[in-house]
Amino acid sequence: MRIIRKVAEMAAFDANHAGLVPTMGAFHEGHLSLMRKAKAENGSCVVSLFVNPTQFGPNEDLSRYPRPFERDVQLAEEAGVDILFAPEAGDMYPGHPTVVRVPAVSELWEGAHRPGHFDGVATVVLKLFNIVGPKRAYFGQKDLQQCLVIRKMVNDLNVQIHLSFEATIRESDGLAMSSRNVYLSPQDRLAAVLLPTSLQRLAEKLQHSSKSESEVETLLAQERCELESGGFKVDYFALASLPDLQPTLDPSEPSALIAAARIGSTRLIDNRILAPYSIE
Ligand code: AMP
């Protein structure tokens, strides 16, 4: 595996048959499964490892975000990655950089709770597409809104790339894998399972019988209460339409349950797309 640090060196490399996996490092099985898929489907895999400062708010965890670089190098190598692109922030962002803003779908949910977050995401992802120039890029459905923002950007700006959105990889108790799970205390880790449990329980209810809007509203409120009783501070727990992520109470339309909640000092996000829909 080759490690490239310089933007100019990466841009000069011919990666137009490669699959790209953009990441912020601290690899877990969610990242590694994207890498293996990119390698299997394209023959070669480029992984970007960049803790992108522009997608963190002023009071967020940029400085304490885990950065186990040597371990990441080893895991990427074992996953069959061909190039690990790990640029410096100063090389990625000149003074007063251009910003990509994706309207509407960026503004709700995560966008409302983390102002500027998706501007940072859309900008860095478009830059990575332009620097690396891959055939296909891979993202995880754990970050459902991110997938939808990137898809809209690619469609709106006619970016010549194929996108793949892969299923969420979970721990054995259902917690979605995340680099931020290392922040969970042992006690918070036990409580954290309530979030996927709650989403799954409600998804099953909504998928298997038709419900009126007021029934859906009551069920959402009940699950939110369960989470709060379990120690969570809930930012949102909602049903949202696909692909626009507008709030809805109609689970017979393409939709997903989406949630963000804090346990201790850790903010977790998760979602369940209601069957039979998908965003692949
Ligand atoms: P991150 O390093 O957190 O920015 O994530 C890099 C990529 O891995 C993003 O496309 C994420 O959606 C994806 N990802 C993160 N966690 C998971 C997971 N548990 N399952 C599948 N993909 C994931």
Side-chain angles (χ1 to χ4, degrees), residues 92-279:
M92 284 290 276
Y93 294 112
H96 305 294
T98 300
V99 172
V100 180
R101 173 161 301 162
V102 180
V105 68
S106 277
E107 288 152 22
L108 301 149
W109 315 116
E110 285 305 282
H113 286 272
R114 304 182 67 190
H117 170 67
F118 285 122
D119 294 357
V121 169
T123 304
V124 80
V125 167
L126 185 60
K127 283 174 70 72
L128 290 167
F129 288 174
N130 287 334
I131 294 165
V132 176
K135 183 166 80 177
R136 188 175 276 277
Y138 294 79
F139 297 89
Q141 292 180 17
K142 175 187 167 265
D143 299 287
L144 176 63
Q145 190 171 6
Q146 173 170 281
C147 294
L148 299 170
V149 167
I150 291 166
R151 187 158 75 183
K152 180 165 165 58
M153 174 186 76
V154 161
N155 289 341
D156 288 358
L157 299 181
N158 309 95
V159 183
Q160 297 304 300
I161 193 164
H162 298 278
L163 298 174
S164 289
F165 301 132
E166 304 297 332
T168 301
I169 306 293
R170 296 175 182 279
E171 303 286 357
S172 55
D173 64 356
L175 180 67
M177 290 192 182
S178 164
S179 305
R180 290 188 165 100
N181 290 352
V182 297
Y183 301 153
L184 292 165
S185 68
Q187 198 186 347
D188 292 342
R189 173 63 188 85
L190 287 176
V193 72
L194 274 177
L195 184 63
T197 307
S198 183
L199 287 164
Q200 182 59 17
R201 183 168 49 213
L202 185 50
E204 275 161 23
K205 285 183 193 159
L206 297 182
Q207 283 160 182
H208 293 133
S209 65
S210 71
K211 298 265 185 290
S212 70
E213 292 202 345
S214 71
E215 285 171 319
V216 173
E217 203 163 22
T218 306
L219 288 167
L220 285 166
Q222 277 171 358
E223 293 297 348
R224 191 182 175 115
C225 271
E226 290 277 329
L227 286 171
E228 284 166 353
S229 313
F232 276 96
K233 290 199 169 60
V234 180
D235 280 349
Y236 57 84
F237 189 98
L239 185 66
S241 64
L242 292 173
D244 298 333
L245 282 191
Q246 292 297 318
T248 178
L249 293 171
D250 181 1
S252 68
E253 294 295 315
S255 52
L257 288 166
I258 55 171
R262 221 172 269 278
I263 183 95
S265 63
T266 311
R267 188 170 181 276
L268 302 175
I269 62 169
D270 201 351
N271 67 82
R272 288 281 173 174
I273 296 175
L274 298 190
Y277 303 106
S278 78
I279 60 154

